[in-house]
Amino acid sequence: MHLIDVTNNYSDLVQSQLNTTDANYVKVYSLGNTSVIYTENKNAIGIALENHNRRVREDEVEFIIKRLLENYDSSYTLTVDKSRHVIEIHVDK
């Protein structure tokens, strides 16, 4: 699996997140057909995985946790929608 930084392609989304939430850092990644939105503020980290074509796979979630949360030993919370097309990972700092 390859995680590709595509933040520059989503400048409107990044500006919207920075202007309407308490996020102070936003990155957008592509994991094949799965989009990954990483947001960070002073208290927490939020990661959303979204795939419109199919369910987000468990190995994709594990890959993202290893790659983007490698410096955090604290536990995380997973929120999964019923169709499993959107998964959110939340970490308190």
Side-chain angles (χ1 to χ4, degrees):
M1 279 187 236
H2 297 287
L3 191 61
I4 301 168
D5 184 348
V6 293
T7 304
N8 291 336
N9 297 339
Y10 292 90
S11 59
D12 291 340
L13 171 67
V14 171
Q15 282 301 318
S16 174
Q17 287 288 321
L18 292 172
N19 292 335
T20 60
T21 67
D22 62 348
N24 55 16
Y25 183 80
V26 178
K27 286 291 239 187
V28 182
Y29 298 97
S30 172
L31 187 64
N33 288 338
T34 302
S35 299
V36 179
I37 303 167
Y38 176 96
T39 59
E40 189 171 338
N41 63 36
K42 64 180 180 177
N43 300 320
I45 295 172
I47 302 172
L49 290 85
E50 180 180 43
N51 191 316
H52 294 288
N53 301 322
R54 61 167 172 78
R55 296 169 156 238
V56 176
R57 296 189 318 256
E58 190 65 35
D59 63 329
E60 292 174 316
V61 175
E62 292 172 9
F63 178 78
I64 292 299
I65 290 169
K66 286 180 184 174
R67 288 291 302 271
L68 298 181
L69 298 176
E70 64 187 342
N71 296 328
Y72 294 94
D73 294 330
S74 62
S75 63
Y76 54 86
T77 305
L78 282 179
T79 305
V80 181
D81 77 333
K82 191 167 52 172
S83 66
R84 200 167 166 87
H85 287 268
V86 177
I87 295 179
E88 181 185 347
I89 304 166
H90 178 85
V91 178
D92 290 324
K93 287 186 175 177

